[in-house]
Amino acid sequence: MGRARVLLVASEAVPLVKTGGLADVITALAAVLVEHGVDATILMPAYPAAVERASSLRQVGQLFDDLPGGSGRLLLGTLPGSPVSVLLLDTERFARRSGDPYVDEHGNEYEDNALAFGDLAEVAARICAGQTMVPAPHVVHANDWHAGLVPLLLRVRGITGVGSALTIHNLAFQGNVDMGLAGRLGVPADMLHADGVEFWGKLSFMKAGILCADRITAVSDTYAEEILTPRFGHGLDGLLGSRRDALLAIPNGVDTAVWNPARDTLTARPFSITDMAGKAACKRDLQRQFGLPVEPFAPLLALGSRMTHQKMADVALDALPRLLERHPRLQVVVLGRGDHGYESRFQQLAAEYPARFAVHVGYDEKLAHALHAGADMLLHGTRFEPFGLTPIYAMLYGTIPVASRVGGLCDTVADAGAADAPNESANGVLFDGDGADDMSAAVDRALALFAQTRHWQRLQRNAMQADFSWYGPARKYLRMYADIAPAGARALFEATLMPRASADDDSAATAGWKRA
Ligand code: ADP
Ligand code: GLC
């Protein structure tokens, strides 16, 4: 019997290229699928950083001279230090993206995003059709708008031997492009209307995926419900509602080989729930790295995320000065990159509160580990959050999240309630709203808890003990792949579920997303 084959199409995968959680998820999912015996391959753009970092790259004989955006070739390699295969689509457009994959140095989207990602979809479709040197997969799994055209191309070309899934990691980014490009992108003219892929006068990659994929998944239970509402649906809630039978929630996991306080090689000292001495060392290290006074008992609040409106950078900028005034011992460290306006305002705050507030503008994986390990609490305000890996990384390191009650965070963070009598099973602090008052009141509550060692330690224990491994999510994906794979390949996917089969409820993932 052969192996079940899955092609994961995405724009990012750690450690090749990463701007956010998508990259973590793609690599961890591919790795856990391989562990289950699946032949999982990632197809992504050959950004210069990806070419530099991938191992054993070689051209797989395929040259294309008729892609939507021009010509290209396929390179095959592996992720460094991993058995996961990666196909890189090398085109001139992707080769030019040596900085951010989506925006130029001024923060403006590249003008040729449509054609660049049109090329990616086109090549994915050709692989699915068996027109390349690469074996066609049984299931193609498209991720976010970057791969949204893939299910559409399969449908319009009548490629029926491959099941298609679309995972929505973030509905706010939709890839809405000039409709005039439809012909070049392979989108037929009879789909250019509101019941097709037209979206406010544009051609929407995300809409194409939602319309045509055999299954659509959202990355948390709450987000799968939220995107059916106007508040979180970004204009696509109606269409998603009409596809509710194909929509299901598969929450992400966390790569515990990478995010594990006991084995983390990027932090100052290992620690675990039974030996927290290392956490104090990590706190000292973090204070030193940010140039703050090394004070073991000062509450240390961290922010680590994209500096954007989604992540409430504006709200944090208003709330933090108040908090620093109200709590004279509070220290704040910020790691992030994003909108230049926010970046400079954070830097300004650091200048106003020397020795209390420090910021590192940039993207730094090692510092992110130091931050999650060394801080006492992580402030994670966000207007919407499909899943939210960052607060979970923090929790695994005994760093208590102070987070918005939204999206995946509703499912992963359990609020402490009143600071003088916190809930037994709490692992964090949640807040509603996007005002500076809402955010600062939540931090006040976290600081009150921090002052009561017994309560705080219980929060830390709960946070560190939660199970966020990839095994549960992987089984749900495998169950879904089995459901959409061509009849002849279904058994291959079912076999991957066998060794670990138990009485748990895999069927929940396949039954379609049902609202309670
Ligand atoms: P999103 O994908 O919406 O940005 P997540 O919390 O799911 O949110 O994932 C964010 C990922 O990006 C995490 O792995 C986080 O550690 C990482 N990250 C964000 N900003 C930075 C930064 N400036 N430096 C290093 N890692 C960062
Ligand atoms: C997106 C979401 C984030 C999620 C990540 C991985 O970037 O904003 O909430 O954790 O994708 O699915």
Side-chain angles (χ1 to χ4, degrees):
M1 207 156 71
R3 285 206 293 161
R5 286 192 298 277
V6 175
L7 185 67
L8 291 161
V9 188
S11 174
E12 306 182 12
V14 276
L16 305 189
V17 172
K18 166 171 169 177
T19 66
L22 171 67
D24 295 13
V25 168
I26 296 302
T27 295
L29 174 59
V32 75
L33 291 174
V34 168
E35 240 182 87
H36 280 75
V38 174
D39 182 352
T41 299
I42 298 168
L43 169 66
M44 62 181 280
Y47 300 118
V51 174
E52 198 179 299
R53 292 176 190 152
S55 303
S56 321
L57 270 192
R58 63 191 162 85
Q59 189 172 318
V60 277
Q62 201 69 37
L63 285 166
F64 309 99
D65 55 12
D66 56 349
L67 298 177
S71 58
R73 60 183 186 140
L74 264 183
L75 307 173
L76 175 66
T78 57
L79 296 180
S82 149
V84 173
S85 302
V86 60
L87 284 165
L88 299 181
L89 173 61
D90 187 20
T91 64
E92 244 179 65
R93 294 174 197 281
F94 287 138
R96 281 200 294 265
R97 298 174 182 213
S98 48
D100 188 282
Y102 317 114
V103 295
D104 63 21
E105 66 275 21
H106 307 296
N108 300 319
E109 283 194 9
Y110 293 120
E111 275 174 20
D112 67 349
N113 272 347
L115 291 174
F117 289 100
D119 289 344
L120 187 70
E122 175 64 35
V123 168
R126 290 188 194 179
I127 293 173
C128 290
Q131 293 168 350
T132 72
M133 309 285 283
V134 180
H138 303 115
V139 169
V140 63
H141 183 167
N143 289 272
D144 269 351
W145 75 265
H146 319 108
L149 280 189
V150 179
L152 177 141
L153 293 179
L154 259 55
R155 178 185 291 183
V156 301
R157 295 188 186 163
I159 303 165
T160 51
V162 182
S164 68
L166 171 76
T167 292
I168 301 173
H169 297 266
N170 195 337
L171 197 55
F173 299 101
Q174 302 178 337
N176 299 329
V177 310
D178 182 0
M179 276 229 284
L181 292 169
R184 275 176 88 176
L185 295 170
V187 178
D190 65 3
M191 293 186 87
L192 300 178
H193 51 80
D195 292 330
V197 300
E198 188 262 336
F199 189 67
W200 298 105
K202 299 274 189 178
L203 184 168
S204 169
F205 278 44
M206 186 64 110
K207 193 171 177 188
I210 295 172
L211 195 68
C212 299
D214 295 330
R215 289 286 189 285
I216 305 148
T217 78
V219 291
S220 69
D221 289 342
T222 299
Y223 195 56
E225 288 190 57
E226 286 176 342
I227 55 178
L228 296 172
T229 67
R231 178 171 166 207
F232 295 103
H234 297 278
L236 292 171
D237 39 297
L239 174 63
L240 282 160
S242 74
R243 296 231 55 209
R244 188 177 297 182
D245 287 348
L247 173 63
L248 56 132
I250 304 186
N252 292 327
V254 163
D255 190 339
T256 44
V258 177
W259 296 97
N260 179 342
R263 279 182 293 171
D264 195 328
T265 52
L266 299 178
T267 53
R269 230 172 91 181
F271 61 94
S272 68
I273 197 162
T274 51
D275 176 13
M276 291 290 278
K279 179 147 179 90
C282 290
K283 181 168 176 176
R284 284 197 294 277
D285 173 63
L286 184 61
Q287 288 167 323
R288 268 194 213 110
Q289 287 204 57
F290 274 87
L292 295 179
V294 175
E295 288 179 18
F297 300 111
L300 179 54
L301 176 76
L303 260 92
S305 73
R306 293 184 281 118
M307 287 177 178
T308 60
H309 185 256
Q310 176 193 345
K311 303 287 180 181
M312 286 194 197
D314 52 329
V315 185
L317 282 161
D318 283 346
L320 288 168
R322 296 184 198 182
L323 286 161
L324 287 161
E325 296 297 336
R326 278 212 292 264
H327 303 280
R329 299 184 59 212
L330 177 67
Q331 296 181 333
V332 180
V333 292
V334 180
L335 166 65
R337 174 179 84 171
D339 299 352
H340 298 333
Y342 294 138
E343 290 176 352
S344 52
R345 283 177 63 200
F346 274 111
Q347 280 164 330
Q348 222 173 302
L349 261 190
E352 281 165 35
Y353 293 91
R356 307 247 346 254
F357 186 106
V359 58
H360 178 94
V361 169
Y363 187 90
D364 188 329
E365 197 73 30
K366 188 163 190 276
L367 201 50
H369 280 251
L371 185 106
H372 289 111
D376 294 306
M377 47 196 98
L378 178 89
L379 179 57
H380 190 86
T382 177
R383 290 187 163 88
F384 58 92
E385 194 64 85
F387 181 72
L389 289 162
T390 315
I392 296 184
Y393 297 154
M395 280 195 264
L396 294 174
Y397 288 74
T399 298
I400 298 307
V402 182
S404 297
R405 194 193 313 272
V406 72
L409 303 173
C410 301
D411 310 334
T412 52
V413 181
D415 181 49
D420 49 356
N423 299 326
E424 286 284 324
S425 54
N427 57 19
V429 172
L430 287 173
F431 64 95
D432 295 298
D434 62 356
D437 288 344
D438 304 316
M439 182 182 273
S440 50
V443 177
D444 288 342
R445 194 148 57 89
L447 289 168
L449 285 158
F450 180 75
Q452 305 168 77
T453 310
R454 197 167 47 86
H455 291 334
W456 193 254
Q457 286 176 346
R458 192 170 67 215
L459 285 176
Q460 287 184 305
R461 274 197 303 276
N462 292 343
M464 293 175 84
Q465 271 167 345
D467 175 15
F468 294 113
S469 87
W470 261 102
Y471 289 102
R475 289 173 64 76
K476 290 190 169 149
Y477 276 117
L478 287 166
R479 193 59 258 168
M480 176 185 72
Y481 296 155
D483 286 350
I484 60 176
R490 197 159 296 159
L492 297 178
F493 285 98
E494 274 161 1
T496 64
L497 286 160
M498 298 289 274
R500 295 171 202 273
S502 65
D504 59 354
D505 67 342
D506 294 314
S507 55
T510 55
W513 172 250
K514 303 254 189 312
R515 302 210 303 150

